[in-house]
DNA sequence: CGAAGTATTGAGACGTCTCAAAATTAGTGG
DNA sequence: CCACTAATTTTGAGACGTCTCAATACTTCG
């Protein structure tokens, strides 16, 4: 499921808060930890729980028969995912790094939603947020160049990942590539290009610590 | 907005029916006709109405600054579109051919949804259907070849457009291309290839009347 | 320090795009 | 209903962007 809490901050916070209330009162809820790379649920599996990331990061993806992978969304701290209205999940979800989630029984939530309009509307708001993200991503996947995709990705992560100046990306180049509909080499080349242009810098001894030096020029590449 | 009523037939029919009920009783509703090519609403415009296609076909798309276009969905007879939960539309909607729509005031529907759980859940179901379509389309746009995209398109239209053996596509090659993230030439070449292979035939004196001769082999190209 | 995993860079291949022309179909007015 | 024009579709040929395959470099972890 595509979750993008930060995008619709005002009402989304409500939705999140509401689910929080529910959990504290009526609905079974617990924490769970997944190791780096562990599968949280598989596509077409029964959707028994919904999840909120407490720590770490998660990728949701679909596979084609021959292994081609499309990541539909990254779920970062605070994000809720796994919310399906049908009985089955539509993505596979995996922990990108060691990850702690809070989970609640889907049926319980469903049950409350059937009588409580506020909860039903909160679900609607969350689903709409996911839809909006998917709609924007279709434009990216269908019509943007590799450089534009990478720029959009960096700005999305900058917005969602941190208030700090340094972005610590949890995902690999391959994950980024499968999110953007590219190969990892093309992603790497785009990042190198942006680095050479002085638009971003790599921090410390890792290629996943990125600092955006020139958000303006990056935004010009976004659209 | 992405509408794909046929995909979730059972509950979706409910949703559709429900909206129908509402309209007949409490909510202002009327019909409207749009000429081929006419804009129904623009992106970022205030979402005052939601629409149902009574006759014709509609495309919903986003544009980049330089004219690149991504069509997010086609709305066919029976489909509901323009349903946004925010105040503004997220796509531009245009009539592909002369089109008749039924429309209702968004605020009225919103109002009812705020007190009636059934309506709120119907909106959730419709939004979820749109989300599911968008999720599948991301996989197509990010990871499928041109031939796979065209095959998927033909099967989608076959499913949604008709029970008859002949498919009368309302949209141009350019529309198809902008839906599939390709150029119109590439779409044309893929169709020619499928024709040459005996998988589809063109009927009558138009290239938009297509008959699927071998759904099985087409499905092998889908995934 | 060594080994495994990950990222970068290079060079050539390939699929789709671009540009252009020809063919077909649709639209219009007589 | 035909003739003419405009629009759309098909087809071709070459260009271009991204992918593939391969080698090197870097980072992490034991």
């Amino acid at each position: 499921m595509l979750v993008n809490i930060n995008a619709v901050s005002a009402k989304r916070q409500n939705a999140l808060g509401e689910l929080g209330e529910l959990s504290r009162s009526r609905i079974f809820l617990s924490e769970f930890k997944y190791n780096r790379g562990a599968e949280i649920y598989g596509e077409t599996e029964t959707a028994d729980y919904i999840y909120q990331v407490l720590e770490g990061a998660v990728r949701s993806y679909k596979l084609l028969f021959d292994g081609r992978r499309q990541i539909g969304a990254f779920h970062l701290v605070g994000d809720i995912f796994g919310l399906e209205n049908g009985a089955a999940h539509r993505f596979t979800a995996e922990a990108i790094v060691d990850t702690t989630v809070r989970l609640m029984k889907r049926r319980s939530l469903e049950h409350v939603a059937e009588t409580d309009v506020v909860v039903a509307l909160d679900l609607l708001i969350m689903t709409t947020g996911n839809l909006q993200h998917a709609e924007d991503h279709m434009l990216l996947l269908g019509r943007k160049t590799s450089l534009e995709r990478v720029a959009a990705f960096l700005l999305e992560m900058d917005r969602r990942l941190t208030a700090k100046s340094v972005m610590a990306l949890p995902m690999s180049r391959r994950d980024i590539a499968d999110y953007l509909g590219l190969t990892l080499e093309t992603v790497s080349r785009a990042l190198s290009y942006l680095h050479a242009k002085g638009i971003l810098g790599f921090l410390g001894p890792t290629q996943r610590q990125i600092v955006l030096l020139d958000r303006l020029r990056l935004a010009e590449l976004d659209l």
Side-chain angles (χ1 to χ4, degrees), chain A:
Chain A
M1 195 107 196
L2 303 162
V3 172
N4 186 358
I5 293 287
N6 300 328
V8 195
S9 53
K11 298 200 85 175
R12 294 301 283 289
Q13 297 302 347
N14 275 344
L16 183 48
E18 189 61 36
L19 293 174
E21 293 307 328
L22 285 173
S23 55
R24 255 165 267 139
S25 50
R26 290 173 270 184
I27 294 182
F28 172 73
L29 186 117
S30 67
E31 289 190 11
F32 204 88
K33 286 181 191 302
Y34 294 93
N35 290 329
R36 177 173 199 274
E39 178 173 309
I40 298 172
Y41 53 78
E43 203 174 338
T44 77
E45 229 171 68
T46 316
D48 295 324
Y49 300 96
I50 69 171
Y51 305 80
Q52 182 179 26
V53 179
L54 295 181
E55 202 185 352
V58 173
R59 57 180 168 246
S60 283
Y61 63 86
K62 287 175 184 291
L63 284 180
L64 294 178
F65 70 101
D66 60 357
R68 282 174 284 172
R69 183 177 71 158
Q70 179 63 44
I71 294 180
F74 293 114
H75 313 298
L76 309 178
V77 173
D79 290 349
I80 291 169
F81 68 98
L83 180 62
E84 323 284 351
N85 296 109
H89 286 295
R90 295 189 300 263
F91 286 102
T92 298
E94 279 176 2
I96 296 175
V97 295
D98 292 353
T99 296
T100 309
V101 301
R102 194 162 60 159
L103 49 84
M104 73 192 299
K105 274 216 166 318
R106 187 178 75 93
R107 291 177 56 88
S108 311
L109 178 63
E110 218 168 49
H111 217 257
V112 177
E114 274 164 22
T115 53
D116 187 338
V117 187
V118 177
V119 174
L121 290 177
D122 278 339
L123 290 179
L124 180 57
I125 288 165
M126 290 205 302
T127 302
T128 299
N130 295 342
L131 176 56
Q132 199 161 336
H133 179 267
E135 289 168 348
D136 292 340
H137 211 58
M138 285 193 290
L139 176 61
L140 179 148
L141 292 171
R143 288 299 180 219
K144 293 187 181 177
T145 67
S146 61
L147 193 59
E148 290 166 348
R149 294 180 199 208
V150 171
F153 169 77
L154 290 171
L155 289 169
E156 181 188 352
M157 287 303 136
D158 182 50
R159 177 171 55 74
R160 293 176 57 196
L161 208 46
T162 170
K164 295 165 288 185
S165 59
V166 179
M167 230 187 322
L169 297 178
M171 70 288 285
S172 68
R173 298 293 188 259
R174 174 172 293 281
D175 287 335
I176 298 171
D178 285 348
Y179 180 59
L180 299 178
L182 300 169
T183 58
L184 65 93
E185 293 94 335
T186 298
V187 170
S188 181
R189 280 183 244 273
L191 290 171
S192 295
Y193 172 85
L194 293 172
H195 185 219
K197 288 280 183 183
I199 292 177
L200 62 82
F202 294 99
L203 257 234
T206 168
Q207 295 109 323
R208 296 195 191 178
Q209 306 259 96
I210 290 179
V211 47
L212 300 190
L213 299 170
D214 194 338
R215 278 187 184 72
L216 276 183
R217 271 199 290 164
L218 203 57
E220 283 169 20
L221 295 173
D222 197 18
L223 304 165

